[in-house]
C-alpha cells in the first residue's frame, strides 16, 4: 500500500510550482510539495506547514507563488494562492526565522459586505518600514467583486494582517468611496 | 500552472499513467481534480431539489449526530453535552452553509466543484458528508491540514457533533462555514425553496468550532 501511495504521489513530488522573484541577496525560495527558503549559507527552512498534495488533500497553489522582498532586505513575505484563500507567510531574513501570525480583529472589523465573501485573493502592495500594504480582491457569493486594503505589520517575531476600514458600497460595479482611513505610502 | 521540471516531469507523468492504470484498469478513477475547476455561479439543474442527507438531526435537542469522515472514523459524540478535552483553538461565528463540492447548490450561488479534502482524488459531497470549512489564518495564526478533527457546537441548541476540515476558505469574516450535512447534524436550519431545493447559504445559528490537530 505504501508503495502504491508513493507511486501516486511521485509525479507531484517531482513537480515544482512557479515562484516569482525566487532569489534575493543570496536567499532562495523553492516550491515543490512544500515551500522552503534557503539562506546564503545553505540552511533550509520549511515555510508551509504541510504538503500541498497528499492522498487525501489537494491545497496546491493555483497561480504563481509571489515573493515580496522588503526593500531593505530585512523580510520576505510569501503569498500562496489556493482555490478560495491566500496563505501568507513572513520570514525574517536578518534573524533567519519564520514569523508567526496572530490577528486580533477586535479593533479592526471587516466591512459588513465581507460576511458574504466567497473567495479572496491577497497580493502585495508597497512597503513602508515594517508595514506591507495588501490588496485583497474579494469575490462575494452573489458573484460581485470588491476590493479591500489590509495592512501586514511585522513586530519582532510575529506579524498580523488587519483590514483597513472599507466602504460599504452595495454594488460591485458602483464607484467605491475612498477608505475613511488610509495610509500615505 | 505547474512549472514543469523537464525530464523529471516526463518520468513523473509516465509513473502517474502507470500507477493510474494499476488502480483502475478501466481508467474510471481520477487522481487529480479537473485542471480548470470552474467557479460556478448559475442555476441548479432542474429536478435536483429535495435534498435529503443521511445525517439529518432528529431535532430532539441534546447532542447532534456524528458527521461522516469517509477516511477515518470520528469519535462518538459526548452524551453529556460537554466539549471534548484537547482542542487547541476555537472559532466562533454565525453559521453559513457552504455548497462547495459535488453536492447540490442554490441558484446563483458562487461555488466550486472541488474540496481540498479528497478521497482518491474525488472531492466531497456536502449533501452526504459533514465537514467544516477552515478560515485560513483565522485560528490565532494556526492553519491546520484538511482532515483535522473539529468538534462543532450549535450554541443556540447545545447540539454538538464531531466533524473534520474538508475545505479551506477566506480569512475570518465572522462566519463558520459548513457543508449541508454538517449543518443538519447540529440542527442548523437551511433555507429551502418550496420544491425542497436549497435557497441560500444564510443562517442565524451561532456556532463554535473546536480544533483538535493533535488527535
Amino acid at each position: 500500500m505504501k508503495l502504491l501511495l508513493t507511486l501516486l504521489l511521485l509525479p507531484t513530488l517531482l513537480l515544482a510550482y512557479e515562484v516569482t522573484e525566487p532569489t534575493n541577496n543570496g536567499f532562495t525560495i523553492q516550491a515543490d510539495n512544500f515551500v522552503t527558503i534557503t539562506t546564503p549559507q545553505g540552511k533550509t527552512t520549511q515555510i508551509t506547514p504541510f504538503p500541498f498534495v497528499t492522498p487525501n488533500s489537494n491545497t496546491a497553489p493555483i497561480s504563481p507563488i509571489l515573493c515580496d522582498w522588503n526593500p531593505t532586505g530585512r523580510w520576505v513575505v510569501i503569498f500562496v494562492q489556493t482555490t478560495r484563500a491566500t496563505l501568507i507567510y513572513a520570514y525574517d531574513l536578518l534573524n533567519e526565522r519564520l514569523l508567526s501570525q496572530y490577528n486580533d480583529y477586535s479593533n479592526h472589523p471587516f466591512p459588513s459586505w465581507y460576511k458574504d465573501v466567497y473567495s479572496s485573493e491577497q497580493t502585495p502592495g508597497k512597503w513602508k518600514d515594517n508595514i506591507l500594504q495588501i490588496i485583497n480582491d474579494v469575490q462575494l457569493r452573489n458573484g460581485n467583486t470588491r476590493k479591500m486594503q489590509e495592512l501586514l505589520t511585522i513586530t519582532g517575531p510575529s506579524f498580523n494582517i488587519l483590514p483597513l476600514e472599507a466602504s460599504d458600497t452595495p454594488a460591485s460595479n458602483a464607484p467605491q468611496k475612498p477608505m475613511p482611513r488610509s495610509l500615505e505610502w | 500552472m505547474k512549472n514543469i521540471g523537464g525530464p523529471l516531469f516526463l518520468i513523473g507523468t509516465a509513473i502517474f499513467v502507470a500507477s493510474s492504470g494499476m488502480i483502475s484498469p478501466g481508467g474510471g478513477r481520477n487522481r487529480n481534480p479537473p485542471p480548470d475547476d470552474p467557479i460556478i455561479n448559475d442555476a441548479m439543474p432542474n429536478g435536483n431539489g429535495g435534498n435529503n442527507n443521511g445525517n439529518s438531526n432528529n431535532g430532539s435537542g441534546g447532542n447532534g449526530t456524528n458527521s461522516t469522515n469517509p477516511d477515518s472514523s470520528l469519535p462518538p459524540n459526548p452524551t453529556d453535552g460537554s466539549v471534548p478535552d484537547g482542542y487547541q483553538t476555537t472559532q466562533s461565528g454565525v453559521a453559513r452553509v457552504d455548497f462547495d463540492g459535488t453536492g447540490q447548490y442554490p441558484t446563483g450561488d458562487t461555488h466550486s466543484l472541488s474540496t481540498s479534502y479528497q478521497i482518491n482524488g474525488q472531492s466531497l459531497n456536502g449533501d452526504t458528508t459533514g465537514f467544516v470549512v477552515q478560515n485560513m489564518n483565522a485560528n490565532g495564526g494556526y492553519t491546520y491540514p484538511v482532515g483535522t478533527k473539529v468538534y462543532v457546537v450549535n450554541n443556540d441548541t447545545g447540539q454538538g457533533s464531531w466533524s473534520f476540515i474538508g475545505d479551506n476558505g477566506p480569512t475570518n469574516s465572522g462566519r463558520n462555514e459548513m457543508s449541508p450535512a454538517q449543518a443538519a447534524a447540529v440542527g442548523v436550519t437551511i433555507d429551502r425553496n418550496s420544491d425542497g431545493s436549497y435557497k441560500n447559504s444564510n443562517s442565524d445559528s451561532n456556532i463554535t468550532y473546536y480544533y483538535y490537530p493533535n488527535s
Side-chain angles (χ1 to χ4, degrees):
Chain A
M1 189 58 185
K2 282 184 178 177
L3 175 63
L4 188 59
L5 291 177
T6 302
L7 287 173
L8 278 171
L9 285 174
L10 200 50
T12 301
L13 298 175
L14 293 175
L15 294 176
Y17 296 94
E18 187 177 346
V19 180
T20 63
E21 297 188 51
T23 60
N24 187 289
N25 213 16
F27 288 87
T28 302
I29 292 175
Q30 292 179 299
D32 40 50
N33 215 16
F34 292 91
V35 175
T36 58
I37 185 167
T38 303
T39 68
Q41 292 73 37
K43 173 190 167 191
T44 297
T45 301
Q46 184 177 313
I47 302 293
T48 47
F50 38 81
F52 289 137
V53 179
T54 73
N56 290 330
S57 71
N58 188 335
T59 54
I62 60 171
S63 58
I65 294 168
L66 301 177
C67 301
D68 195 78
W69 304 84
N70 164 258
T72 65
R74 176 66 197 274
W75 302 286
V76 60
V77 180
I78 302 162
F79 296 76
V80 181
Q81 181 64 37
T82 62
T83 307
R84 291 184 57 195
T86 309
L87 295 173
I88 299 178
Y89 305 93
Y91 183 84
D92 183 337
L93 299 164
L94 181 64
N95 296 303
E96 298 181 357
R97 61 184 176 185
L98 187 63
L99 305 181
S100 58
Q101 181 179 178
Y102 187 82
N103 304 321
D104 181 359
Y105 300 110
S106 55
N107 293 320
H108 300 271
F110 286 87
S112 61
W113 52 260
Y114 199 78
K115 68 181 186 301
D116 295 320
V117 60
Y118 173 73
S119 64
S120 133
E121 180 176 3
Q122 293 160 289
T123 51
K126 294 179 180 176
W127 280 92
K128 185 177 183 182
D129 301 326
N130 61 327
I131 299 174
L132 174 64
Q133 179 190 34
I134 290 178
I135 310 300
N136 190 346
D137 287 299
V138 178
Q139 183 180 15
L140 304 180
R141 288 187 174 272
N142 63 9
N144 289 344
T145 57
R146 301 294 292 265
K147 209 176 271 290
M148 183 170 74
Q149 281 192 66
E150 297 167 308
L151 295 182
L152 183 154
T153 304
I154 298 175
T155 308
S158 63
F159 72 99
N160 61 45
I161 302 173
L162 298 171
L164 284 172
E165 291 177 28
S167 64
D168 269 346
T169 314
S172 66
N173 295 328
Q176 295 198 17
K177 293 186 291 187
M179 299 198 176
R181 179 163 58 90
S182 188
L183 292 182
E184 295 296 329
W185 295 92
Chain B
M1 189 301 294
K2 307 247 178 167
N3 183 18
I4 306 302
L8 289 179
F9 170 73
L10 295 177
I11 296 169
T13 303
I15 295 173
F16 169 60
V17 170
S19 60
S20 297
M22 287 165 60
I23 293 174
S24 177
R29 182 179 296 186
N30 297 323
R31 181 178 166 275
N32 289 317
D36 296 311
D37 178 39
I39 301 294
I40 295 178
N41 189 9
D42 57 9
M44 185 175 66
N46 290 332
N48 279 351
N51 166 63
N52 238 332
N53 64 68
N55 287 338
S56 294
N57 188 271
N58 59 16
S60 60
N63 297 305
T65 53
N66 220 357
S67 163
T68 305
N69 180 341
D71 187 52
S72 62
S73 61
L74 292 167
N77 293 328
T79 56
D80 58 359
S82 65
V83 174
D85 292 332
Y87 60 87
Q88 186 176 66
T89 59
T90 66
Q91 175 195 320
S92 294
V94 177
R96 179 182 291 287
V97 182
D98 181 68
F99 300 97
D100 278 0
T102 60
Q104 300 168 47
Y105 51 88
T107 299
D109 182 71
T110 298
H111 87 290
S112 168
L113 291 174
S114 69
T115 56
S116 297
Y117 193 100
Q118 300 183 338
I119 303 297
N120 297 319
Q122 302 297 314
S123 290
L124 301 174
N125 183 331
D127 292 337
T128 55
T129 302
F131 63 87
V132 306
V133 179
Q134 171 180 224
N135 273 334
M136 309 298 280
N137 302 323
N139 301 311
Y142 290 96
T143 303
Y144 303 124
V146 293
T148 295
K149 290 184 176 65
V150 180
Y151 191 69
V152 181
V153 174
N154 183 337
N155 298 311
D156 295 336
T157 66
Q159 291 166 280
S161 163
W162 278 107
S163 185
F164 67 102
I165 298 173
D167 208 354
N168 294 315
T171 300
N172 194 348
S173 59
R175 292 289 186 273
N176 280 22
E177 296 185 25
M178 64 187 77
S179 70
Q182 184 57 49
V186 291
V188 171
T189 302
I190 303 175
D191 285 349
R192 293 178 185 274
N193 297 306
S194 56
D195 64 356
S197 60
Y198 296 134
K199 188 174 184 179
N200 56 49
S201 59
N202 298 333
S203 168
D204 294 327
S205 300
N206 291 297
I207 298 292
T208 299
Y209 293 162
Y210 298 84
Y211 290 92
Y212 296 78
N214 301 318
S215 62

